Amino acid sequence: MTNPLVMFLSRRDDLSTDEIAALDALTLNSQDYAAGTAMIRQGDRPTSSILVLEGLAARAHYLADGKRMISALHVPGDYVDLHSLLLDQMDHDVTALTDCRVALTAHPEVRRVTERLPHLGRLLWLATTIDAAMHRAWIVALGRMSPLSHMAHFLCEMYIRLDIVGLAKDYSYRLAITQIDLADMLGLSVVHVNRTLQDLRATGMVSWVGSTVSIKDWDGLRELAQFEDAYLNLNKRAR
Amino acid sequence: MTNPLVMFLSRRDDLSTDEIAALDALTLNSQDYAAGTAMIRQGDRPTSSILVLEGLAARAHYLADGKRMISALHVPGDYVDLHSLLLDQMDHDVTALTDCRVALTAHPEVRRVTERLPHLGRLLWLATTIDAAMHRAWIVALGRMSPLSHMAHFLCEMYIRLDIVGLAKDYSYRLAITQIDLADMLGLSVVHVNRTLQDLRATGMVSWVGSTVSIKDWDGLRELAQFEDAYLNLNKRAR
DNA sequence: CGTAAGCTTGAATAAAATCAAGCTTTGTGG
DNA sequence: CCACAAAGCTTGATTTTATTCAAGCTTACG
C-alpha cells in the first residue's frame, strides 16, 4: 500500500529516497475514527499532526444558531492539521465524514524532519499553501458562482485530488457524503442542493449513484465549472 | 518608521535581533503601485515576493462572464505572494485597491533566509497559515452568515489586523475601499451591500464616513459577527 | 420487518439580484 | 473659481433565486 502523502508530494516535485523514508516514518502510528466522530475539536491544542490515510474528513465550523459550515474536505494524503504545528489553538472541528484511518505524528518529530531535510520542509509548506489555494477557489465559488457551477467545480476538484492519490479511475470515484454535508460545503440549504443535483444530473455530464460519482463529460463539466486546475499546482518542478 | 512585518510577526512570537535584521534586509527595495493597478497578474510566475508596506491590496479572481471576486484583502505587514516562492503560477491577480508601497525580495534571498534562520522560516510559514485561517473564516461567513453579520465580521477582522500593525486608534481606522470592492469581497450585489451598510449603520455600532471606520460598540459588533479572534493567532508564544 | 437516516417533492415565504434612475462627491480643466 | 464629468452612492420597483415548511418516499440495516 503506497503512502498517499508520498503520492501527493511526488506529483509536485521529485523526492529523494531519504525524503521518502522520512515521510514513511511519519506515518507509522495509525488510528481509526468512525464516520461522524471528531478527530480534533475546536479549542484543542493538538500536540501531533494528523494525516488522512483513508476516508474523508471535513473542517467543520459551528455557528451560534447551530448552523454548520464545512470549509474544507480532506482526502487521503492530506494533512488536516499540519499547521497546528505552528498555530495556537484549533478554531474549528475536524470530523470524519466517512470511516477514516489516519496517521499521527508528534509535533517535535515533524519539526525535526523539516529542519533536517529543508527541501522536504518546503514541500510540507507547499502542502499548506495548496490548502490555502483551495480555500480561495472555494471562496470564489461561494461568492460568485451559481449553485450549479459551484457543484460542478466541487466535483472537478474532487476528481483531480482523488486521482492524484490513486483513488479515481475512468473519471469515476467514490464520494460517500450526504447531501447535508454537501449543503454545508456549498453554503446552501439541503432542499436546494437536492434540486441543483437533479439539474446537474439532467445535463448528463455527471452521474452520482449511491456513493459513486462518474463524470461522463469532463470537458463539459470543466466548462460549466470554469474549472482551471492551476491552483492545485500539478506540475512537477524543483521547489 | 517601523517595519510592519516585524510588527506582524513579533505579535505572535519573540524575534531575535538577528531575525529582525534579516527581515529589515528583506524590505530594502520598495516600489509604488497606484490605486487600481495590478501588482501581479494571473498566469505570472513571480521571481520575487511582495510585502505590503502601505495601502491595501486585494486578491482578485475574474470569471468568464466578467464577474469579480476578491478572496483576500491585504494590509501592511502582509506578504501577498510569499507562497509564490513555492507555487507554480499565479491563478489570480493581486491589485492595489488604494495607492500602495510594497517591498520586493527575490525568491532565492527569501529561501536563503529561511534556511539560515529556521525559526524565522517557521514564522513565515506561520504567516501563510494565518492567511489560510482567514480564508476559512471568510468561507464560513460567505456560506452561513447573513450579509449583516458578514459585514460586521469583516469590519472586526480589519480592526484587529490593522491594529496589530499600528494602523488603528480608538477603534477607528482608515478603510479607503468602495462599495463595489466590498460587494466583491462579500459575494453580494452593490445594491445589497449599500442597503446592508445602512442597516449596519442603523444599529449604531459602526460609523463609516468617507474612508474612516469607527467602531462605536465593539462588544455588540463582535456578537453580531460572532467574531472570535482565535483564528488570527494573536498569542505570543514560541513557535 | 420496522425504523432511522437520508432523499425528494410541492407550496409558501423570504432574501437577494437586477433594472433603471437620480443623487452626491470628487477631481479636473477652462 | 466655477462647470462639468466621472465615479461612486442611494433609492424604488420588479424579477429571480433560495429558504423554509411540511410531507411523503426510499433505502440500508439491525
Side-chain angles (χ1 to χ4, degrees), chain B residues 1-77:
Chain B
M1 158 105 219
T2 325
N3 181 331
L5 177 57
V6 172
M7 296 177 84
F8 179 95
L9 294 179
S10 59
R11 173 69 195 249
R12 275 85 178 190
D13 194 358
D14 288 318
L15 296 173
S16 68
T17 49
D18 217 26
E19 288 169 338
I20 292 175
L23 288 174
D24 284 336
L26 289 180
T27 56
L28 286 179
N29 301 318
S30 79
Q31 187 168 332
D32 292 318
Y33 289 95
T37 59
M39 300 177 182
I40 312 173
R41 283 236 157 66
Q42 183 180 352
D44 283 0
R45 300 174 184 275
T47 56
S48 45
S49 284
I50 297 182
L51 172 71
V52 179
L53 296 174
E54 281 171 38
L56 296 175
R59 297 184 185 281
H61 305 246
Y62 295 91
L63 302 192
D65 56 3
K67 288 199 188 102
R68 179 179 75 153
M69 181 74 192
I70 292 175
S71 63
L73 184 59
H74 286 291
V75 305

Side-chain angles (χ1 to χ4, degrees), chain A:
Chain A
M1 160 103 217
T2 324
N3 182 331
L5 177 57
V6 173
M7 295 177 85
F8 179 95
L9 293 179
S10 60
R11 173 68 196 249
R12 275 84 179 191
D13 194 359
D14 289 316
L15 296 174
S16 69
T17 50
D18 216 27
E19 289 170 337
I20 293 175
L23 288 174
D24 284 336
L26 288 180
T27 56
L28 286 179
N29 301 318
S30 80
Q31 186 168 333
D32 291 319
Y33 289 96
T37 59
M39 301 177 182
I40 312 173
R41 283 236 159 66
Q42 182 180 353
D44 283 359
R45 299 173 184 275
T47 56
S48 44
S49 283
I50 297 183
L51 172 71
V52 179
L53 295 174
E54 282 170 37
L56 295 174
R59 297 184 185 281
H61 305 245
Y62 295 92
L63 302 193
D65 55 3
K67 287 200 190 102
R68 179 178 76 153
M69 182 74 191
I70 292 176
S71 62
L73 184 59
H74 286 291
V75 305
D78 288 353
Y79 258 114
V80 295
D81 69 335
L82 189 53
H83 30 65
S84 71
L85 180 67
L86 299 157
L87 299 183
D88 258 359
Q89 208 185 29
M90 292 296 292
D91 66 308
H92 59 274
D93 286 13
V94 177
T95 304
L97 290 189
T98 68
D99 291 344
C100 281
R101 200 163 62 81
V102 307
L104 293 175
T105 314
H107 284 163
E109 199 176 335
V110 181
R111 179 171 300 183
R112 221 175 302 127
V113 168
T114 63
E115 296 201 357
R116 185 168 66 83
L117 301 168
H119 172 253
L120 185 55
R122 273 203 302 279
L123 291 184
L124 292 179
W125 187 359
L126 171 68
T128 63
T129 65
I130 291 176
D131 277 341
M134 292 191 290
H135 290 335
R136 287 191 292 271
W138 283 34
I139 287 172
V140 174
L142 279 161
R144 287 288 182 245
M145 283 189 176
S146 69
L148 189 67
S149 295
H150 190 174
M151 195 174 285
H153 192 279
F154 171 70
L155 293 178
C156 285
E157 181 184 301
M158 281 303 117
Y159 168 64
I160 298 286
R161 291 173 64 191
L162 289 170
D163 189 47
I164 286 170
V165 290
L167 294 172
K169 200 190 308 185
D170 301 329
Y171 290 103
S172 281
Y173 54 94
R174 270 183 59 80
L175 195 67
I177 60 173
T178 68
Q179 292 184 7
I180 298 169
D181 297 331
L182 192 53
D184 288 341
M185 287 189 277
L186 303 184
L188 299 170
S189 68
V190 198
V191 173
H192 202 227
V193 160
N194 183 281
R195 288 172 176 146
T196 303
L197 207 41
Q198 291 177 49
D199 292 346
L200 187 59
R201 285 192 187 109
T203 66
M205 295 176 191
V206 177
S207 92
W208 185 341
V209 180
S211 55
T212 301
V213 173
S214 296
I215 301 174
K216 304 297 184 190
D217 176 4
W218 173 252
D219 289 337
L221 195 67
R222 259 185 52 124
E223 191 182 340
L224 173 60
Q226 296 185 49
F227 182 78
E228 297 289 337
D229 64 17
Y231 72 100
L232 295 172
N233 281 262
L234 302 172
N235 298 323
K236 189 180 272 207
R237 36 160 281 242
R239 316 237 179 198

Side-chain angles (χ1 to χ4, degrees), chain B residues 156-199:
Chain B
C156 286
E157 181 183 300
M158 281 302 118
Y159 168 64
I160 299 285
R161 291 173 64 192
L162 289 169
D163 189 46
I164 285 170
V165 290
L167 295 172
K169 202 190 307 185
D170 303 328
Y171 289 102
S172 281
Y173 53 94
R174 271 183 58 81
L175 194 68
I177 61 174
T178 67
Q179 293 185 6
I180 298 169
D181 297 331
L182 192 54
D184 288 341
M185 287 189 275
L186 303 184
L188 300 169
S189 68
V190 198
V191 172
H192 202 227
V193 160
N194 182 282
R195 288 175 174 143
T196 303
L197 207 41
Q198 290 177 50
D199 292 346

Side-chain angles (χ1 to χ4, degrees), chain B residues 217-233:
Chain B
D217 176 3
W218 172 250
D219 290 337
L221 195 67
R222 257 185 54 125
E223 192 183 340
L224 173 60
Q226 295 185 49
F227 182 78
E228 297 290 336
D229 64 17
Y231 72 100
L232 295 171
N233 281 262

